[in-house]
Amino acid sequence: MRKIYLEDTPLQDAQREFLEKITFDRKVEWVRTTEALGRITADPVYAKVSMPNYNASAMDGVAVAAAKTYGADEQNPVRLKRGVDYEIVDTGDPIPPGFDAVIMIEHIHQVDEDTIEILEPVAPWQHIRPIGEDVVVGEMIVPAHHALRAVDLGAILAGGRVEVAVLCRPKVAIIPTGTELIEPRDAVGRGEIVEFNGTVFASYLKEWGAEPIYLGIVKDEYDTIKDKVLEATRLADIVILNAGSSAGTEDYTVHVISELGRVFTHGVATRPGKPTITGVVNGKPVIGVPGYPVSAYLSLEWFARPLVHHYYGLIEPKRNLLQVKLGRRIVSDAGADDFVRMTVGCIDGAYIANPLTRAAGVTMSMVRADGLLRIPAGHMGYEQGEMVELELYRPKEQIDRTIVITGSHDLSVDVLHTLLRKTYPDRFLVSSHVGSLSGILAIQKGEAHAAGVHLFDEETGSYNIPYIEKYLKGHEVVLVQLVYREQGWIVPKGNPLGIRSAADIGKSQLTYMNRQRGAGTRILFDYLLKQEGIDRNTIYGYDREAINHLSVAAAVAGGAADVGLGIYSAAQAMDLDFIPVSEERYDLLMSKHFYYSLEGETLLQAIRSESFKKEMESLGGYSCRESGQIVYEN
């Protein structure tokens, strides 16, 4: 039953066709006004009573007949008698019969217990709230298909409506498919994948105003999927099938929809998210979203979110946009809209954006993303330094308060982020793992506030400073010591292959997991190979690159590599053995402008804190004996 994509439809065309062909049988329910926040009105809401429903005093003072105050001034004060010429009223009190104005208490002079004196006249209806000043009986308070806000609820209650007719939330059935899936639990076996997309879908749908119905994991069996889709169309207004939307031998979604109803689109011209399906079964819209998380989340937003707003008769809200300068070149293939997750930081008044991994299965790229860059079909990409427009996932005000750290990866940066958030809740930190050398170049180009570096120079036997002097001549920078850490061989428990040095790796046919180009750990490995006279081209796996130490450890733990060079804490996190090689200095390189700024000062306070030292050294393999000290300043 293998079938290639029916089409490669442009995204906007697929969205428009889907919405145009879907109609909903909307249901209505009555809810208490006090519990209607965020609900969508089914019909206009009209006032049953006026607010206020009587002429009310708008001030504390006395009610008077305005005509009796005419002619009053400082030369001819007018005296009024209680019970005859005035009555005392407080704010909100009904105006007694025969009176048509209120004099504020501050503007009267008490002559005796029953007599007051005024020095200026008042106009008719002065300081009186007339009947219906706020809401008039029969007035439309809010229209149909209106999202109820806090202020709306107040006006509706003031208009005498204690209940309001709202559209029932659209029910959306979620069907995750995959024989390898398991419900979330602590222990995950080999070949098992935790089903988490369902939780993400349900959360998004709640956020958009829908009611998710999670129908549980369905195995990759055609008849089982077919039965579940039929059940879903009986229970829900919208059906979402997760995974099985591509063209593999066990990708049944398109065939099930085709047999039970009609397929509108199979394949949209986007990256990621290409294998998306739209259709209808039993009059209910069905969306087949890809299994890879990033593809799934974007597909859900492109098709389910507009559908929910279409159900309510609302305009789909758009995110804020921001003009940014690209910190790196981004290449795109022609033929499809390319959507790239980006981090953004404000560096010396300029917004600098850098791409995260573009792999469709990396959920953390969505967690870390500050915004989304769309590269239109037919566009080959953008050059470094070019200005582009991002759709923001985070408020601009938050980006303005974010410290951007790039360069080499280390757990100390994550610890700093946590400490910073606890101490300064209005401050944020984002980091990207591009390697020490790329971190130095980011500081050179003004694309980061700080960069983690640990570059060993074999000529001097020292760390970092030779590279700074080579690449940052004429730049005002400060190098701050962050931590000392142990580098070593990460190997399986018990070190079954007896690895002790680079020579052992060179002599044996081992599988190695390397770090990316420009990473300090990779430079150290090259140095160790050179010391042993080993040609790096003989190392099996030398060109396999991991972006951080935990990824190296994960490769060893999962059997994808026999050994990798990394830090002790990464080996410990994966319950692996660690063979020490050397202690190295991991420093933070900063622009001098940032170092002496308020943001730089808050970061340094965190680095020099006892909490940072305690947290880092508890991980093992770290020393904070000189944390926060200036190593180099230019």
Side-chain angles (χ1 to χ4, degrees):
M1 198 176 283
R2 187 178 180 89
K3 190 171 186 179
I4 307 303
Y5 298 115
L6 298 177
E7 53 208 329
D8 203 13
T9 309
L11 177 60
Q12 290 183 332
D13 291 348
Q15 290 173 313
R16 183 178 61 254
E17 181 186 20
F18 192 37
L19 293 180
E20 286 176 352
K21 292 181 177 178
I22 297 300
T23 57
F24 287 106
D25 179 19
R26 301 181 178 94
K27 298 179 179 62
V28 177
E29 64 178 333
W30 287 85
V31 298
R32 293 190 62 79
T33 304
T34 53
E35 298 171 359
L37 182 65
R39 298 301 298 270
I40 312 302
T41 54
D43 299 298
V45 179
Y46 295 95
K48 288 176 66 176
V49 299
S50 295
M51 173 64 185
N53 63 1
Y54 59 89
N55 296 322
S57 175
M59 297 289 175
D60 295 335
V62 296
V64 298
K68 291 188 176 182
T69 69
Y70 294 162
D73 59 29
E74 292 184 0
Q75 300 299 320
N76 299 291
V78 172
R79 291 193 174 188
L80 304 172
K81 289 290 186 179
R82 183 175 181 177
V84 178
D85 303 313
Y86 77 89
E87 290 288 352
I88 296 174
V89 291
D90 293 321
T91 301
D93 285 348
I95 300 300
F99 298 112
D100 60 4
V102 170
I103 303 174
M104 295 171 59
I105 191 71
E106 297 93 328
H107 294 165
I108 64 174
H109 171 64
Q110 196 77 37
V111 177
D112 57 40
E113 187 174 344
D114 294 320
T115 307
I116 61 172
E117 188 177 74
I118 59 172
L119 303 179
E120 59 183 28
V122 293
W125 299 100
Q126 182 170 310
H127 300 317
I128 290 178
R129 296 187 66 206
I131 293 172
E133 180 190 57
D134 188 356
V135 180
V136 179
V137 63
E139 177 184 2
M140 187 176 74
I141 302 172
V142 292
H145 298 280
H146 175 80
L148 291 170
R149 305 164 298 169
V151 292
D152 300 327
L153 303 185
I156 292 170
L157 289 171
R161 294 287 184 179
V162 295
E163 288 189 328
V164 61
V166 299
L167 294 175
C168 292
R169 293 186 177 97
K171 292 181 171 63
V172 184
I174 300 169
I175 307 172
T177 68
T179 305
E180 74 283 7
L181 297 180
I182 61 170
E183 295 294 350
R185 63 184 186 219
D186 292 336
V188 179
R190 185 177 179 83
E192 296 179 334
I193 297 177
V194 170
E195 199 294 292
F196 57 82
N197 278 347
T199 296
V200 178
F201 293 179
S203 300
Y204 274 132
L205 290 163
K206 287 178 183 176
E207 185 179 308
W208 301 333
E211 180 184 329
I213 304 173
Y214 182 75
L215 295 182
I217 296 168
V218 178
K219 291 184 177 182
D220 289 321
E221 298 169 351
Y222 185 87
D223 288 337
T224 307
I225 295 172
K226 177 181 170 182
D227 291 343
K228 189 61 71 171
V229 170
L230 288 172
E231 177 189 350
T233 60
R234 292 191 293 269
L235 296 173
D237 302 291
I238 301 169
V239 179
I240 295 174
L241 277 150
N242 183 210
S245 64
S246 192
T249 56
E250 293 186 340
D251 290 329
Y252 299 131
T253 298
V254 70
H255 308 293
V256 168
I257 298 173
S258 180
E259 179 184 342
L260 298 177
R262 181 184 173 192
V263 173
F264 299 147
T265 299
H266 183 199
V268 292
T270 63
R271 276 187 305 268
K274 181 182 176 70
T276 296
I277 303 167
T278 64
V280 63
V281 174
N282 292 335
K284 305 296 178 67
V286 181
I287 307 170
V289 299
Y292 280 133
V294 176
S295 296
Y297 305 160
L298 290 176
S299 180
L300 192 77
E301 182 166 304
W302 294 332
F303 293 96
R305 187 174 188 245
L307 202 57
V308 171
H309 285 83
H310 176 55
Y311 172 92
Y312 284 127
L314 299 175
I315 296 174
E316 185 183 4
K318 302 299 181 184
R319 293 192 181 95
N320 291 329
L321 303 175
L322 182 68
Q323 289 286 327
V324 300
K325 184 170 79 170
L326 289 180
R328 272 183 276 161
R329 186 183 188 216
I330 301 178
V331 177
S332 177
D333 294 329
D337 288 345
D338 215 342
F339 293 86
V340 186
R341 287 83 72 197
M342 308 286 290
T343 61
V344 186
C346 186
I347 317 294
D348 296 332
Y351 291 99
I352 309 295
N354 285 291
L356 290 158
T357 176
R358 295 164 78 171
V362 182
T363 311
M364 288 302 295
S365 68
M366 292 294 286
V367 173
R368 295 186 174 121
D370 298 317
L372 192 68
L373 170 65
R374 175 181 173 269
I375 305 175
H379 200 295
M380 300 304 292
Y382 299 103
E383 295 297 328
Q384 181 179 2
E386 196 168 345
M387 297 299 295
V388 297
E389 190 172 64
L390 292 192
E391 181 182 354
L392 290 181
Y393 285 153
R394 290 201 298 155
K396 176 179 170 293
E397 293 76 15
Q398 187 173 322
I399 291 171
D400 290 339
R401 292 175 169 269
T402 297
I403 296 171
V404 179
I405 297 182
T406 188
S408 174
H409 167 258
D410 189 76
L411 295 175
S412 57
V413 176
D414 300 325
V415 172
L416 280 178
H417 186 194
T418 300
L419 290 177
L420 199 68
R421 297 289 293 123
K422 287 182 177 179
T423 310
Y424 304 97
D426 63 336
R427 299 288 173 183
F428 303 85
L429 185 151
V430 297
S431 60
S432 57
H433 313 140
V434 297
S436 296
L437 193 55
S438 294
I440 288 177
L441 296 178
I443 296 297
Q444 178 195 76
K445 298 169 186 173
E447 295 168 356
H449 294 116
V453 291
H454 64 110
L455 292 168
F456 177 75
D457 179 60
E458 60 182 81
E459 291 184 9
T460 63
S462 63
Y463 275 88
N464 300 326
I465 294 176
Y467 292 88
I468 294 171
E469 291 178 338
K470 178 180 179 181
Y471 291 102
L472 294 175
K473 278 186 179 180
H475 291 266
E476 293 188 334
V477 295
V478 179
L479 186 67
V480 175
Q481 213 288 311
L482 188 57
V483 292
Y484 287 95
R485 64 184 191 180
E486 285 187 85
Q487 284 265 32
W489 307 116
I490 298 175
V491 296
K493 208 71 174 171
N495 192 11
L497 298 176
I499 297 169
R500 295 291 171 187
S501 68
D504 296 324
I505 299 172
K507 293 174 184 175
S508 308
Q509 288 300 310
L510 303 179
T511 301
Y512 185 75
M513 175 57 79
N514 210 350
R515 290 292 307 281
Q516 75 269 38
R517 289 174 177 81
T521 300
R522 183 171 178 141
I523 291 172
L524 176 60
F525 182 56
D526 288 345
Y527 171 73
L528 294 172
L529 292 177
K530 185 177 179 181
Q531 291 290 98
E532 298 289 348
I534 299 171
D535 182 355
R536 64 189 185 188
N537 293 320
T538 64
I539 303 298
Y540 185 71
Y542 181 88
D543 293 324
R544 296 176 65 206
E545 298 181 350
I547 63 169
N548 57 46
H549 297 281
L550 287 171
S551 296
V552 172
V556 175
D562 297 310
V563 60
L565 187 61
I567 58 176
Y568 173 81
S569 57
Q572 187 182 52
M574 297 288 177
D575 194 29
L576 300 169
D577 275 2
F578 180 82
I579 314 302
V581 170
S582 66
E583 184 185 61
E584 67 175 10
R585 237 183 45 221
Y586 180 87
D587 300 331
L588 272 186
L589 176 66
M590 311 177 191
S591 69
K592 187 175 285 188
H593 178 267
F594 174 73
Y595 178 86
Y596 288 105
S597 69
L598 177 61
E599 292 78 7
E601 183 180 330
T602 60
L603 185 62
L604 285 167
Q605 287 175 358
I607 292 171
R608 292 165 179 163
S609 68
E610 192 62 32
S611 297
F612 177 71
K613 178 179 180 180
K614 182 179 178 181
E615 182 73 20
M616 290 309 304
E617 295 187 347
S618 70
L619 295 173
Y622 285 100
S623 169
C624 296
R625 58 185 182 271
E626 295 176 356
S627 296
Q629 292 186 18
I630 294 178
V631 178
Y632 175 89
E633 185 171 2
N634 181 29

